[in-house]
Amino acid sequence: KYHPKMGNSASSGVSSFSAAYRESLLTSVFLDDGDGSELGGVANGVGKPSRIKGKTIDMEKMTMLIWSFRDSPEMVTFISNFLAKYSGEKLVFDGIEFYLPQLAHMIIHLEVDWPSTTLEQFALVISQHSLHFALQFNWILVCSLQDYQPETPSGEPNPTYNELFFTRCIKLLQNMERCVVYGTPRASELRKLYEMGEISREEFEAMELADRRFNAFQIVDSPSNRGAQMSEIESLGSGSDIEFTSGNSGWLYYKRGKRRKYRRKPWKSRFFVVAERMLFCYDKPHGTLRRAMPLESAIIELGDGLSRHPFYFEVHNQNYEFLLRAKNEAEVKKWTTLLEQNAKTAALFSMSLSPSPNQATQGQSLVSHLSPKQRSRYQFFKGERDFVRSLTEIAEELRFEPRSERKRLAPVLISETPIPPCAYIPMLKSTDEWLRVVRMLPAEARVFSTKERCPVLMCFEMEHEDDKVDVANYLHAKFGDGVGDDAPDDDSGGGGGSA
């Protein structure tokens, strides 16, 4: 497990990497033409490499380069752009996928102190390039989100909580989902130009990559996504002299939804702030953050019949539940309106496997405005995420059942798990063979009881395509037009289906 503070200070790790070590890494990856002039340009974060050793890229050394030059955003920008340029090659793309955990760690932790968003944009460029990569990145972000959230699922304070990293994971997830669904609008147009012979293959690939980079830049560096959001969140967490407005903050009475056994929880006065689709709970203005809740697809319910207390309302999603009381009816209307507005802005991907009727209606309204290709990508991406979440929920649900009942209940829960039309087991590479999940085999399941968990071995019946296509080619053929290529075609040495 990575240490939460690794990479937080750019100067902390520089001394461990000597100039000679950096130079040796650069030399082993980039080769100059003899005079060393171009290599020197690369080392300064400018210029271009003259050629690549063996016409391949050593991703292990490239990852080490990013880490060793983490004090130099300019150098990291150069390496990221270089990798994006060659990401269409099969070996390079396999390497990027293999080192995704390390890259994701640096994306979450390094850029919080940088003026640029180079690594995040790189991840979004690759996510447009590959739905399989986007799914892997999504699950890493979800795990990090749980690591850094203010509270554990039982309502206890989380010892690994980090406000800045928690908020950053929320934003990364939202940005990644946007780039997956909306994709590259010009991809179909560029493909038509290439097929008509109006642009060459090299021009098509360069323009398609430029289109993905432009979309990633727009998503990440819009005022609401980067500058305003991060500066506001950092200010909220640091207790600075930011002036809260009456429209987005105020005092409410709060009670935790999940109580400890045999213990009565009183109402507490807390200061709440809504910022960037997040609900923050402080002990006082500019004080200590007590808890936080993503408002994405949250459900807001008024107190009619829910409580005997006046001016009562609830806010909850799959993982969080806040019980709140206002001072008067006007305050209730203000807060519920504000919360509903923020909950609707990101309702394409629900955090709940069983959304409420209002959630479902809002989500279907947004989906209806998508183009056919965008809708197909959305349905696949959401279906695969929900499928994997359903499988993990089986183990989580069995964990709280008596050990004597687990073996009996496991087949029942497995047989009730819905399978999307295009589901697959994602623990593979983009260049591995595509195998679609046809059905689950409940009778073959095995339950292993441990002290803390309940691991479950599940078996599936799989079906391959007649031509035994790989994951990248299949996803490109099914969803690729307009989203970019999951990998290049065989003519370019890749494992996917570009033109």
Side-chain angles (χ1 to χ4, degrees), residues 246-362:
S246 58
N248 77 328
S249 62
W251 292 92
L252 290 170
Y253 290 105
Y254 165 83
K255 181 186 290 188
R256 182 184 296 139
K258 296 181 179 179
R259 302 181 183 180
R260 296 178 186 174
K261 209 170 184 180
Y262 310 117
R263 201 169 163 186
R264 185 173 177 272
K265 293 296 293 184
W267 289 95
K268 296 180 180 179
S269 182
R270 293 284 185 254
F271 191 80
F272 285 84
V273 180
V274 175
E276 288 300 316
R277 299 190 288 275
M278 292 284 295
L279 178 61
F280 296 94
C281 173
Y282 293 86
D283 56 355
K284 59 182 179 180
H286 313 295
T288 302
L289 181 69
R290 295 296 185 183
R291 53 195 55 86
M293 172 182 179
L295 290 176
E296 174 190 350
S297 301
I299 301 172
I300 295 91
E301 294 183 314
L302 294 176
D304 296 337
L306 296 177
S307 173
R308 58 184 175 82
H309 299 285
F311 316 123
Y312 173 88
F313 61 99
E314 297 179 1
V315 186
H316 56 89
N317 55 29
Q318 185 186 19
N319 300 313
Y320 302 88
E321 182 180 19
F322 284 8
L323 313 182
L324 303 169
R325 284 171 49 203
K327 295 179 180 179
N328 50 54
E329 191 63 37
E331 285 288 300
V332 172
K333 184 175 181 180
K334 167 198 142 178
W335 280 102
T336 54
T337 301
L338 179 63
L339 293 169
E340 287 173 352
Q341 289 174 347
N342 280 266
K344 291 177 182 178
T345 54
L348 264 178
F349 290 95
S350 172
M351 291 188 68
S352 173
L353 288 172
S354 301
S356 68
N358 287 339
Q359 276 185 284
T361 302
Q362 295 167 6

Side-chain angles (χ1 to χ4, degrees), residues 413-434:
L413 295 175
I414 292 174
S415 63
E416 295 174 349
T417 303
I419 302 176
C422 193
Y424 74 113
I425 304 302
M427 295 180 291
L428 36 71
K429 300 185 297 184
S430 288
T431 49
D432 289 338
E433 182 183 357
W434 168 265

Side-chain angles (χ1 to χ4, degrees), residues 485-497:
D485 305 323
D486 277 280
D489 63 4
D490 294 335
D491 294 338
S492 64

